[in-house]
Amino acid sequence: QVQLVESGGGSVQSGGSLRLSCAASGYTGSNYCMGWFRQAPGKEREGVAAMDTDGTTTYGDPVKGRFTISQDNANNTLYLQMNSLKPEDTAVYYCAADLYPALFCRASFNLNALHAWGQGTLVNVSS
């Protein structure tokens, strides 16, 4: 059973940075597409970043050039470095894992068949 635990959220001023971490257990990392999605109050879930099994990365348009996804396979940890944060980045951020066909990574952040996700961590960006 895959378990994902996020950390690193918090409050930051506009223009600041945060790094989210996702500790993963109960899986073989090389078989999973991993990534992040977020949900702001009153809005639908939105794919943020993804890393496929071959290392290919994908980013949502609102975060391109500001966010970076990375993975430490030795420690089964996924990261999301968030720079130049904006108030519109305020949301609960979730770590996600998807198995083949890995639609989250390969089909525009398809969230309908995710294999697992964490409890989320809140990011609040003030202006």
Side-chain angles (χ1 to χ4, degrees), residues 36-38 45-49 59-63 104 109 111:
W36 298 88
F37 66 93
R38 66 187 181 185
R45 296 177 302 171
E46 174 186 39
V48 174
Y59 295 94
D61 287 342
V63 308
F104 182 77
F109 300 112
L111 292 163

Side-chain angles (χ1 to χ4, degrees), residues 9-50:
S11 295
V12 63
Q13 289 191 328
S14 181
S17 298
L18 284 173
R19 188 176 80 157
L20 305 183
S21 299
C22 172
S25 60
Y27 79 114
T28 301
S30 61
N31 296 329
Y32 282 81
C33 137
M34 302 291 295
W36 298 88
F37 66 93
R38 66 187 181 185
Q39 188 165 27
K43 295 188 177 181
E44 294 192 355
R45 296 177 302 171
E46 174 186 39
V48 174

Side-chain angles (χ1 to χ4, degrees), residues 69-120:
I69 188 172
S70 61
Q71 190 168 14
D72 180 348
N73 289 323
N75 294 306
N76 286 342
T77 303
L78 186 73
Y79 299 102
L80 184 68
Q81 178 65 44
M82 306 186 295
N83 298 329
S84 302
L85 282 162
K86 304 175 181 180
E88 52 263 44
D89 294 318
T90 294
V92 177
Y93 284 71
Y94 298 87
C95 177
D98 203 7
L99 283 170
Y100 181 85
L103 298 180
F104 182 77
C105 289
R106 303 172 188 175
S108 301
F109 300 112
N110 188 308
L111 292 163
N112 294 327
L114 284 176
H115 186 72
W117 56 94
Q119 83 288 349

